[in-house]
Amino acid sequence: MERDPQALIVHERDAEEVPLPGGGRFRLLEDSRGTGGLLGANRLVLPAGADGTRPHHHRLSTELFHVLDGTMEFLLDGEVTAVGKGGLVVVPPGTVHAFGASADGPAEFFAVLTPGIERFGYFRQLGRIARGEAGWDSMDELHDKYDVHFDGEPHGR
């Protein structure tokens, strides 16, 4: 059960970092626990040309992406669009999407998922998969828990 939301400050030094290959990383800012279930927030840095995720959708949540640096490529319902620094992407529930950094260079974005779901376990597992410490099949039992439902193969954008 979620608690009532309260004002929240997360300093960068307090955010957990999940390393990814090639210098990429998740910075886990706040899961839904600290926001009373309102939202979860994280940052992601990807090296040039790196895929961020397989095509998937969320049944319950809207996802917002704000590109902080570089250019991200977003697959949205089968169409790929490049979004540069300062751009914003909002993905409503049910929309199949994927993303990755363009081949031109590394990219970084800030993401918000609302309503919030405790998903940091998902990001930690993605880090293990990316580092070769676990296989994609390790996600099979986690789809409903994290509201991430895969719709295609890797490198789908």
Side-chain angles (χ1 to χ4, degrees), residues 21-111:
R25 67 189 171 280
F26 283 106
R27 183 159 313 268
L28 307 180
L29 298 168
E30 185 54 58
D31 224 345
S32 69
R33 182 175 304 148
T35 66
L38 295 175
L39 60 90
N42 66 281
R43 287 172 55 178
L44 177 61
V45 175
L46 291 172
D51 285 331
T53 185
R54 295 167 59 170
H56 67 282
H57 69 278
H58 308 288
R59 292 181 182 150
L60 306 174
S61 299
T62 296
E63 199 163 18
L64 174 146
F65 301 91
H66 180 243
V67 180
L68 300 173
D69 199 19
T71 300
M72 295 291 299
E73 293 177 353
F74 287 89
L75 173 73
L76 300 168
D77 279 338
E79 190 171 319
V80 176
T81 302
V83 180
K85 181 178 179 178
L88 179 75
V89 176
V90 178
V91 182
T95 301
V96 176
H97 61 288
F99 52 81
S102 75
D104 297 337
E108 180 175 6
F109 67 74
F110 170 71

Side-chain angles (χ1 to χ4, degrees), residues 106-122:
E108 180 175 6
F109 67 74
F110 170 71
V112 175
L113 189 76
T114 184
I117 295 171
E118 291 190 30
R119 296 182 76 209
F120 284 3
Y122 172 77

